[in-house]
Amino acid sequence: MTDLEHDDDGTGDFAAVAYREEDFWDVYLLPEAITLDLKGLLHALRQQPSISGAIGLVSVGDDFFVIIRVYGREEVSLFLSDVTASADWPVARDVLEYLDIDVPDDEDLDQVLPAGDLSILADLGLDEMELGALAGDLDLYPDEVLASISERLGFQQAFQRAVDGMG
């Protein structure tokens, strides 16, 4: 597992998995420590049965979020809300490495830009423009963006129940 290299106390960190069986969505939280480990996240998502792939929704502090979609054993799509998070967070660096994207240099760390598959949820009703706009809205915290995404995709109640069970 990757060690956390940040002074954050972990408040607000969570990883939720959403998957659909027949017409119903199920959402539950993964252990908080898994928010720091991309390999662990991928392994956990591959364990979920689903007709449309398992979706991982990861919120890391007040800084960024990651969406992971796994279809079967091999097909994986990733979205990172902010490449600059890779300067401080190992899991963000792991996502960029998985995507084969270089970690930005210090002079490139002044602009918040997403990375990865903007169409990761397009077949479920969240197109690239909407996801890009949500990722770029600096007034929203990562957990608020993920709640908005869950609402748009139709599993807000299950998502909220899972997140409310954290505390």
Side-chain angles (χ1 to χ4, degrees):
M1 183 181 299
T2 307
D3 292 328
L4 181 63
E5 297 175 0
H6 200 274
D7 291 332
D8 193 282
D9 65 359
T11 305
D13 294 359
F14 68 84
V17 59
Y19 60 95
R20 199 162 85 192
E21 290 187 280
E22 297 180 21
D23 293 334
F24 301 100
W25 283 96
D26 196 6
V27 178
Y28 68 88
L29 291 182
L30 297 168
E32 184 179 320
I34 210 163
T35 62
L36 309 176
D37 181 23
L38 180 61
K39 288 179 185 174
L41 283 163
L42 292 173
H43 178 75
L45 292 174
R46 286 185 175 117
Q47 306 306 308
Q48 305 312 309
S50 179
I51 58 174
S52 59
I55 301 168
L57 304 168
V58 183
S59 173
V60 181
D62 294 341
D63 294 329
F64 67 99
F65 66 90
V66 178
I67 300 173
I68 305 166
R69 191 151 177 208
V70 175
Y71 308 89
R73 303 289 306 155
E74 298 301 319
E75 191 173 340
V76 175
S77 294
L78 292 167
F79 177 81
L80 173 65
S81 66
D82 178 9
V83 296
T84 65
S86 64
D88 296 321
W89 296 94
V91 71
R93 283 193 297 275
D94 292 346
V95 169
L96 290 182
E97 182 179 311
Y98 190 94
L99 294 169
D100 199 24
I101 297 173
D102 292 332
V103 173
D105 296 328
D106 288 341
E107 61 267 5
D108 296 329
L109 293 176
D110 60 350
Q111 191 173 9
V112 175
L113 294 172
D117 184 2
L118 279 165
S119 65
I120 192 168
L121 302 171
D123 65 314
L124 298 173
L126 185 72
D127 68 31
E128 296 91 342
M129 294 293 287
E130 288 178 276
L131 183 54
L134 285 168
D137 189 340
L138 301 179
D139 291 332
L140 294 176
Y141 290 107
D143 62 324
E144 295 172 326
V145 173
L146 295 177
S148 179
I149 289 170
S150 72
E151 179 180 15
R152 182 73 170 95
L153 298 182
F155 57 84
Q156 179 186 20
Q157 288 180 336
F159 177 80
Q160 198 59 52
R161 240 186 337 267
V163 172
D164 286 349
M166 275 190 337

